[in-house]
Amino acid sequence: MTVDQPAIDFDREHIWHPYAAMPPAVAPFIVESAEGVRLRLADGRELIDGMSSWWSAIHGYNHPRLNGAIERQLRKMAHVMFGGLTHGPAIELARQLVEITPEPLERVFLADSGSVSVEVAIKMAIQYWHAAGRPRKQRLLTVRNGYHGDTFGAMAVCDPVNGMHSLFSGVLPQHLFAEAPEPLGRESGKERDLADMERLLDAHRDELAAVILEPVVQGAGGMRFYRADYLRELRRLCDRFEALLIFDEIATGFGRSGELFAADHAGVAPDIMTLGKALTGGYMTLAATLATVRVAETISSGAPGLFMHGPTFMGNPLACAVAGESIRLLLEGDWRGDVARIESALREGLSGLASLPQVADVRVLGAIGVVEMRRPVEMAWIQPRFVEEGVWVRPFGRLVYVMPPYVMDDADLAALTAAIRTVVRATNTQ
């Protein structure tokens, strides 16, 4: 096959890709098709996908059951407005989500993307307290090193110093940030990090609407793992100081951490939960924000008597249909065994890198593998280098990480980790 150079040139000059300059430092690679865990480039090369298309394609690509769900729904209708109307795929998806999420979460709001689901969660928390007669409770409390999305409300609860959005800090709502939970294996300061959270909850109890954080795994803010009992203790603190608790499970939901939801590691239920990414198996953009009956009924009983949010493509039938099929596919299979198998392969394949001088840490949890470098990676060098090794890995900052599709077999896992070993070792000589 030949590369369509005019197409690449047009893309580089006119299409703005995520977190990239114009034109980008590295021209994007054209994907012609995808099957299973492989991306087929326009030049004929095949890459083992270690990223699950930003953590979403948990069943791999071109799956016949997911294809079929889209095709069947397309023959009926591609879209219909959700205001005043409903449809079977949305009803079935909501039923599934209520069944599999922590028990108190019984009200489902369907949104467009992960960032929007966080916006919805924040608005729910603020509107809850307004309806409860405490309109001063409008601020959020979160922990450092967190990431919750790129829209303005979501950016405001991302880490303001080490996060990706620091240049917007002057125009964002000013929320509160507690010390991040100590990483797994370094829990010596666990009393200190909870003490900081308790201090802020106490000092700002009259203005805090909610605490929001990513349970057990902090994703794009640093790929940090922390102890589950932090969540149990945080639940008690939120109840004591009258703040809602929001769990952002956009990255961790649907088995990625080794439990169906990261909250399950602690046996804790939040008041509000956000879901996205793997919700549709990577097929279409869709997210959900779930709330307890208490949150929903309080909002609905106060002025203006309804929740103030309504995306145009909310509850899109195609997205709901494929999401429902993705959940059925996940629950019918041995997802827990597959995630444990991937975890074992990542531990074995990456462990030897910990002794390299350029590596600060290697950590694995569920189907997440992270190699933290001592210095930021050079994307213009490292991205093409991974492609040369036959894998798709998209590092950022100091992190070389993977979140493979659950269907990746042992041979491809071995090839993926071997490529990471090769490229990480080569960073010492670049």
Side-chain angles (χ1 to χ4, degrees):
M1 294 183 182
T2 58
V3 178
D4 186 349
Q5 193 60 47
I8 293 177
D9 292 342
F10 181 91
D11 187 294
R12 187 166 185 175
E13 289 299 317
H14 296 281
I15 302 178
W16 212 329
H17 287 260
Y19 292 100
M22 279 294 290
V26 180
F29 299 90
I30 297 180
V31 178
E32 184 179 78
S33 63
E35 182 84 24
V37 301
R38 282 175 164 72
L39 307 177
R40 186 170 298 109
L41 301 184
D43 62 8
R45 288 181 291 180
E46 287 192 350
L47 308 180
I48 298 170
D49 177 23
M51 306 305 295
S52 298
S53 278
W54 267 337
W55 327 345
S56 63
I58 56 176
H59 306 297
Y61 299 95
N62 205 19
H63 195 288
R65 281 185 55 177
L66 302 185
N67 291 358
I70 291 273
E71 291 163 358
R72 288 190 299 274
Q73 183 56 43
L74 187 59
R75 287 192 288 269
K76 297 178 181 179
M77 60 181 172
H79 183 62
V80 64
M81 67 182 289
F82 214 52
L85 299 172
T86 191
H87 49 79
I91 294 169
E92 177 58 24
L93 174 59
R95 193 191 312 277
Q96 291 171 302
L97 292 177
V98 168
E99 288 177 354
I100 66 176
T101 55
E103 185 174 347
L105 300 170
E106 296 186 14
R107 302 295 185 261
V108 182
F109 191 97
L110 298 171
D112 303 71
S113 69
S115 293
V116 175
S117 73
V118 171
E119 301 280 340
V120 168
I122 292 172
K123 290 173 75 172
M124 280 183 178
I126 293 171
Q127 196 172 338
Y128 169 86
W129 289 111
H130 189 278
R134 301 178 68 179
R136 286 189 57 211
K137 291 173 75 68
Q138 295 185 351
R139 297 183 77 184
L140 279 292
L141 171 59
T142 185
V143 295
R144 296 202 173 273
N145 299 311
Y147 173 82
H148 298 282
D150 295 340
T151 52
F152 269 72
M155 284 195 297
V157 286
C158 295
D159 191 297
V161 177
N162 300 317
M164 295 181 281
H165 305 303
S166 58
L167 76 158
F168 297 104
S169 59
V171 297
L172 294 175
Q174 297 303 298
H175 297 305
L176 298 163
F177 293 82
E179 291 296 322
E182 286 291 307
L184 280 179
R186 301 181 223 166
E187 290 94 342
S188 59
K190 65 181 184 179
E191 290 80 11
R192 184 187 68 247
D193 58 37
L194 265 168
D196 193 42
M197 176 65 74
E198 182 175 2
R199 176 184 63 81
L200 290 168
L201 278 165
D202 188 15
H204 299 275
R205 66 170 77 193
D206 293 332
E207 58 178 337
L208 279 176
V211 174
I212 181 171
L213 79 170
E214 303 153 283
V216 177
V217 178
Q218 292 185 294
M223 302 304 295
R224 300 172 77 253
F225 311 147
Y226 64 92
R227 59 194 172 88
D229 63 346
Y230 181 93
L231 302 176
R232 289 190 286 270
E233 293 155 354
L234 178 59
R235 175 74 272 181
R236 288 194 289 270
L237 288 175
C238 287
D239 292 340
R240 175 182 165 193
F241 292 108
E242 298 182 282
L244 298 180
L245 180 58
I246 303 171
F247 282 171
D248 177 349
E249 293 253 15
I250 294 165
T252 52
F254 306 103
R256 181 60 68 177
S257 70
E259 294 289 345
L260 193 56
F261 300 98
D264 295 339
H265 286 282
V268 167
D271 301 292
I272 302 171
M273 176 186 282
T274 64
L275 301 173
K277 290 196 182 292
L279 177 58
T280 68
Y283 267 63
M284 296 187 70
T285 180
L286 184 69
T289 305
L290 284 83
T292 63
V293 172
R294 176 171 66 102
V295 168
E297 291 186 348
T298 300
I299 290 173
S300 300
S301 66
L306 46 86
F307 179 53
M308 298 299 293
H309 200 87
T312 300
F313 290 97
M314 178 179 176
N316 172 261
L318 289 175
C320 289
V322 75
E325 189 66 18
S326 177
I327 292 172
R328 284 188 289 273
L329 186 59
L330 180 71
L331 298 181
E332 290 169 11
D334 184 19
W335 68 266
R336 194 179 294 275
D338 285 333
V339 170
R341 176 179 56 82
I342 292 170
E343 180 177 46
S344 177
L346 293 176
R347 288 189 187 281
E348 180 180 352
L350 301 178
S351 61
L353 296 173
S355 61
L356 296 179
Q358 64 267 42
V359 173
D361 189 32
V362 175
R363 48 190 180 270
V364 175
L365 179 68
I368 310 168
V370 183
V371 180
E372 183 175 345
M373 309 296 288
R374 296 194 182 277
R375 295 186 300 170
V377 300
E378 177 53 58
M379 285 297 293
W381 175 84
I382 201 168
Q383 188 73 89
R385 189 70 181 81
F386 273 120
V387 171
E388 290 173 13
E389 293 296 321
V391 301
W392 182 248
V393 176
R394 180 76 173 172
F396 70 93
R398 296 188 297 121
L399 302 175
V400 177
Y401 76 99
V402 288
M403 289 191 172
Y406 302 166
V407 295
M408 187 173 290
D409 64 26
D410 293 342
D412 284 340
L413 284 166
L416 177 62
T417 55
I420 295 172
R421 292 195 303 271
T422 298
V423 173
V424 167
R425 288 188 177 113
T427 60
N428 205 31
T429 59
Q430 65 169 297

